[in-house]
Amino acid sequence: MFSRLTNLFGKRTRHGGRVLRPTRRLRARFDAAVTTDDNRRHWVGADGLSADAAASPDVRRTLRNRARYEVANNSYARGIVLTLANDVIGTGPRLQLLTESADVNRRVEQEFSRWSESVGLPEKLRTMRAACAEDGESFVIFTNNPKLDTRIKLDLKLVEADQVTTPDLHVSDSSLPPHVDGIVFDSDGNPLVYHVLKDHPGGLNYGIDTQYNRIPAAAVIHLYRVDRPGQSRGVPELTPAIPLFAQLRRYTLAVISAAETAADFAGVLYTDAPPNGETDSIEPMDVIELEKRMLLTMPGGWKMGQIKAEQPATTYAEFKHEILNEIARCLNMPFNVAAGNSSGYNYASGRLDHQTYFKSIRVDQSRFNTIVLDRLFNAWMREAVLIDELLPMSLRMIGSTWPHQWFWDGHEHVDPAKEANAQATRLANHTTTLADEYARRGQDWETQLRQRAKERALMDELGLSNEADQLTDESEEDEDAETAQQSA
């Protein structure tokens, strides 16, 4: 009995009055880490490269070219990128200065708005957002444009990712500071200099002169999404969907070919007789001309049939729905937005799908606030303080700060009536403020209240206040009656 237990649990030894059992090595594994003959080809592309090594110049160039090709030639790809840029940027951000002086705030906001319209800031921001989806990154260089019709001559020059590169880069040279293709870093990982080609690599003049300018990092904005630690350059956000666009194109062509093949043949002759059966002889692949409204007879033993485009046309709509849903997923975009079709949605599912999409948009807008707009506003203010009488003395002092925030376009609610009731409830319960509610719509609450006060004053002057109050009272009575009926 004891020997059996010893063999089962191993020998025991005594140490300090305690019985010790020999340690046994636990061996465990993950199924996903096992390579078999079945999954060997699937995982052949998996590697352990770093973020910058995986996104090498050649890899990024190939991904950019293929993503641009799909966006240029695929209607869905074009629509997805344009919709994303329009939803994130909209008509452009609006500045709200938060100093203690309301007059100063309005003066700076109006001047910045005029400058924004002069340089076409909303259009350039939409181009930057689209470039991040296609190219993976976007570059902006601060320049001086004397032809601007504003007192501030600061301008923005957009540069494609192809142009930010170092043709004579030697990775193996250890004497150089830390660098990747087109960017030089300091010892702490901060960008120091950007190398920008004078001519685009795809331009007509490239190859004659491959020189590049060394632009200080303080004059460059580099916008991209960091997916991995240590990543210095961006890859197209459409990268996971590029093969899916090709599959959608191939499947569409296959469906069209099947339909064309069926339409090319009005009918075919076939027979159920065996090979040596008695049938009238006909020439193989012979063509018979058919006329409209004619009654025809077939040769003896032969029948007429027609080719039907049953496959793959019968599954085309379902395949298209699923592959578009998968394509849009890498951008956090719901299917109805990507396809421009909400026929299969109801109210609840539409709102649920849009919550993730709107949250992704707010994240993108926050990234634009930090990386692009804040740096842009600081550069604008540094130039504005040098112009006489443009800014008040309180904002021109050395070391002064410029507290501010940005407003973006709000998103329209699916059911405006329900949203208005919910807004009134939040205000009545003091769980929100007018500033928050107006910010949801991308509006400045102070500007809106001043405008509303002007309207009320004009309505009082014209004797329209009673009519407006009466309509408001009737609307509230209808809402109370509806609420009471639902409670009953």
Side-chain angles (χ1 to χ4, degrees):
M1 179 70 178
F2 180 77
S3 61
R4 293 180 181 179
L5 295 176
T6 302
N7 294 333
L8 180 62
F9 296 102
K11 296 182 180 180
R12 301 180 180 183
T13 58
R14 290 186 175 273
H15 180 73
R18 294 180 300 171
V19 178
L20 302 180
R21 294 179 179 177
T23 58
R24 307 186 68 180
R25 179 175 298 177
L26 179 63
R27 295 185 177 181
R29 70 180 188 183
F30 297 97
D31 291 342
V34 178
T35 303
T36 64
D37 294 336
D38 296 332
N39 65 9
R40 189 182 306 277
R41 297 183 63 182
H42 180 80
W43 301 111
V44 68
D47 56 53
L49 298 177
S50 66
D52 288 338
S56 63
D58 292 336
V59 171
R60 287 186 286 107
R61 185 183 306 109
T62 301
L63 293 176
R64 286 196 304 264
N65 293 339
R66 294 179 179 179
R68 291 171 183 170
Y69 177 83
E70 290 297 336
V71 172
N73 296 277
N74 190 302
S75 179
Y76 282 109
R78 169 69 71 177
I80 287 173
V81 172
L82 289 180
T83 298
L84 182 63
N86 291 337
D87 287 344
V88 173
I89 305 301
T91 60
R94 288 169 294 280
L95 171 68
Q96 184 186 37
L97 200 62
L98 301 176
T99 64
E100 297 180 356
S101 175
D103 293 335
V104 171
N105 294 340
R106 287 196 299 272
R107 182 177 174 182
V108 174
E109 291 167 5
Q110 292 174 358
E111 191 67 28
F112 185 86
S113 178
R114 285 193 291 268
W115 173 84
S116 175
E117 294 178 358
S118 178
V119 299
L121 180 60
E123 183 67 24
K124 291 181 178 179
L125 294 179
R126 286 190 291 268
T127 302
M128 293 177 62
R129 186 61 190 91
C132 288
E134 293 183 52
D135 304 343
E137 52 190 349
S138 179
F139 295 87
V140 179
I141 300 178
F142 293 151
T143 61
N144 183 64
N145 188 356
K147 294 186 178 181
L148 291 179
D149 56 357
T150 59
R151 302 179 67 180
I152 302 294
K153 302 303 179 181
L154 175 67
D155 201 354
L156 306 177
K157 178 183 179 181
L158 301 185
V159 177
E160 278 197 319
D162 311 61
Q163 208 164 339
V164 181
T165 184
T166 309
D168 56 354
L169 177 65
H170 300 287
V171 180
S172 59
D173 191 352
S174 59
S175 63
L176 296 175
H179 58 276
V180 297
D181 182 40
I183 309 177
V184 179
F185 300 90
D186 61 13
S187 58
D188 297 323
N190 302 309
L192 289 177
V193 178
Y194 287 85
H195 297 164
V196 181
L197 295 176
K198 294 183 178 180
D199 298 311
H200 194 283
L204 299 177
N205 296 328
Y206 187 77
I208 300 176
D209 185 6
T210 59
Q211 296 181 357
Y212 55 88
N213 296 319
R214 293 170 173 82
I215 310 298
V220 179
I221 295 178
H222 183 195
L223 179 66
Y224 69 103
R225 189 182 68 192
V226 181
D227 295 322
R228 295 180 57 184
Q231 181 178 347
S232 303
R233 299 292 299 264
V235 295
E237 297 175 3
L238 288 175
T239 296
I242 293 177
L244 301 179
F245 282 118
Q247 294 176 10
L248 178 60
R249 188 192 303 269
R250 290 170 51 197
Y251 200 87
T252 301
L253 293 177
V255 172
I256 295 176
S257 298
E260 290 178 344
T261 301
D264 288 341
F265 295 91
V268 294
L269 296 179
Y270 69 96
T271 179
D272 295 332
N276 297 326
E278 296 181 359
T279 58
D280 294 345
S281 61
I282 62 173
E283 293 294 332
M285 307 300 294
D286 192 14
V287 178
I288 302 175
E289 295 291 339
L290 301 179
E291 297 183 13
K292 295 181 180 179
R293 297 181 295 277
M294 295 294 291
L295 179 63
L296 303 177
T297 60
M298 296 295 102
W302 294 89
K303 302 178 182 179
M304 177 172 284
Q306 189 175 10
I307 298 178
K308 297 181 180 180
E310 295 179 352
Q311 293 294 337
T314 55
T315 58
Y316 177 66
E318 182 179 356
F319 174 82
K320 195 172 184 180
H321 179 281
E322 294 302 323
I323 200 170
L324 282 176
N325 196 19
E326 185 175 354
I327 286 173
R329 188 64 191 92
C330 64
L331 298 175
N332 289 321
M333 182 180 292
F335 166 78
N336 64 328
V337 176
N341 182 7
S342 301
S343 59
Y345 277 71
N346 55 30
Y347 174 78
S349 60
R351 286 201 62 186
L352 187 62
D353 282 3
H354 280 75
Q355 287 181 358
T356 303
Y357 180 52
F358 290 154
K359 184 179 295 185
S360 176
I361 289 176
R362 290 195 297 271
V363 172
D364 277 348
Q365 292 172 348
S366 176
R367 185 171 55 179
F368 268 89
N369 291 345
T370 304
I371 300 177
V372 180
L373 296 178
D374 286 349
R375 288 191 57 190
L376 176 61
F377 177 66
N378 290 334
W380 186 87
M381 288 293 291
R382 285 196 298 269
E383 184 171 342
V385 297
L386 301 178
I387 301 177
D388 294 335
E389 299 180 357
L390 180 62
L391 297 179
M393 188 59 63
S394 59
L395 296 181
R396 300 173 60 184
M397 297 178 61
I398 299 178
S400 60
T401 58
W402 310 301
H404 63 279
Q405 64 181 0
W406 302 97
F407 286 110
W408 300 85
D409 291 346
H411 299 284
E412 296 182 0
H413 199 273
V414 179
D415 192 334
K418 292 185 177 180
E419 177 63 16
N421 293 335
Q423 183 185 74
T425 303
R426 290 193 296 265
L427 289 172
N429 295 338
H430 303 290
T431 56
T432 186
T433 62
L434 287 175
D436 293 336
E437 295 301 326
Y438 278 110
R440 294 175 186 268
R441 302 172 58 184
Q443 297 174 334
D444 184 353
W445 68 278
E446 293 182 349
T447 302
Q448 297 301 317
L449 289 182
R450 289 192 181 93
Q451 178 63 26
R452 184 56 178 163
K454 294 179 181 179
E455 294 174 355
R456 293 297 297 267
L458 181 59
M459 293 171 65
D460 291 339
E461 180 182 347
L462 300 178
L464 300 176
S465 299
N466 294 333
E467 298 179 5
D469 295 338
Q470 183 178 359
L471 292 175
T472 303
D473 295 339
E474 292 178 356
S475 177
E476 293 178 353
E477 291 177 359
D478 293 340
E479 293 177 1
D480 295 339
E482 182 180 357
T483 303
Q485 184 177 1
Q486 293 176 355
S487 301

